[in-house]
Amino acid sequence: MGLVRIAVLVSGGGSNLQSLIDKIHGTYGEIVLVASNRKNAYGLERAKKAGIAAQVVSGEDYDEKLEALLREKEVDLVVLAGYLKKISPELVGRYKNKIINIHPSLIPSFSGEGCYGLKVHEMAVEYGVKISGATVHFVDENMDTGAIIAQRAVEVDWNDTPESLQAKVLKIEHEILAEAVKNYCLEKITVNGRIVAVKE
Ligand code: GAR
């Protein structure tokens, strides 16, 4: 059997994509496509530098275009790595337990509609939580509600700013996303309703 064929969807800088390029690409899986809803997303440049096909997907028939690309590239796993557009319920249904997302908080805290990027860390700092972290989860029809694959915490210090917390959390995002994708590629992940088991 060949390597697991991965598509990574990005809307921004793509540091999580870079972590997957460095830790997964060519060993546990093959990133066959990087797609973005934003033509200026730096993630597209990262893909090109690594020799990976990079595509902007936009316009009215957006969902159809994205699905056509995934089919054309025979994608097994879709990774949302800082992808800020909602995936259609149809696509979610057709790729059940094959789409994963990284979110920069300990879900269910600071998650759901409107919670993305720096805003998540602003909310965490404002609330005064003493720990925050990152979550990797399967994508379902709603926002940030799918079964959780992995979480890791960081301490929030009294003098953390949204920016400093973001930097701490990004570091662990890069670890847990790559670990989750690796485990997926090695077929170590099983899903039973909301409960995800990862075999050692
Ligand atoms: C990451 O912190 C990711 O968790 C977050 O966007 C950032 C993208 O950074 N995603 C969300 O907030 C999704 N709700 P990156 O482009 O450098 O990987």
Side-chain angles (χ1 to χ4, degrees):
M1 210 187 79
L3 293 177
V4 171
R5 296 174 66 80
I6 303 169
V8 183
L9 309 189
V10 297
S11 297
S15 68
N16 278 290
L17 163 66
Q18 190 64 52
S19 160
L20 296 178
I21 292 173
D22 297 342
K23 297 176 189 163
I24 302 295
H25 187 53
T27 52
Y28 300 102
E30 189 186 353
I31 303 175
V32 293
L33 172 71
V34 171
S36 180
N37 59 323
R38 295 200 182 141
K39 68 175 191 307
N40 297 327
Y42 184 65
L44 293 168
E45 296 306 316
R46 294 184 192 268
K48 286 178 202 156
K49 282 186 189 150
I52 298 167
Q55 286 268 350
V56 179
V57 184
S58 59
E60 273 182 17
D61 48 356
Y62 169 85
D63 290 311
E64 290 75 17
K65 282 188 199 156
L66 179 60
E67 188 166 347
L69 268 176
L70 298 179
R71 297 220 172 275
E72 183 194 313
K73 296 279 185 188
E74 297 179 347
V75 166
D76 304 308
L77 172 69
V78 180
V79 180
L80 311 186
Y83 190 64
L84 303 181
K85 193 167 161 62
K86 201 164 182 288
I87 299 293
S88 75
E90 290 76 21
L91 194 61
V92 170
R94 283 196 273 274
Y95 283 77
K96 192 168 161 48
N97 294 340
K98 291 180 174 175
I99 309 178
I100 69 177
N101 180 48
I102 176 90
H103 183 79
S105 74
L106 294 173
I107 288 176
S109 288
F110 314 121
S111 62
E113 215 73 53
C115 296
Y116 59 87
L118 190 64
K119 278 191 201 172
V120 174
H121 306 297
E122 283 167 4
M123 291 164 83
V125 166
E126 201 169 295
Y127 202 94
V129 291
K130 296 300 182 198
I131 55 168
S132 190
T135 303
V136 181
H137 64 93
F138 284 109
V139 172
D140 67 7
E141 294 74 16
N142 299 308
M143 193 66 98
D144 299 335
T145 54
I148 291 173
I149 302 168
Q151 292 188 302
R152 194 160 298 160
V154 299
E155 291 192 0
V156 185
D157 299 323
W158 67 269
N159 56 355
D160 262 315
T161 61
E163 289 77 10
S164 68
L165 180 57
Q166 182 178 48
K168 280 191 209 175
V169 171
L170 253 188
K171 215 168 145 212
I172 60 158
E173 287 184 42
H174 299 160
E175 296 168 7
I176 67 168
L177 182 60
E179 284 167 19
V181 171
K182 175 179 165 184
N183 287 330
Y184 188 98
C185 293
L186 295 175
E187 295 182 359
K188 287 185 172 183
I189 294 180
T190 52
V191 191
N192 183 3
R194 288 205 59 80
I195 308 305
V196 176
V198 182
K199 276 186 282 177
E200 281 310 313

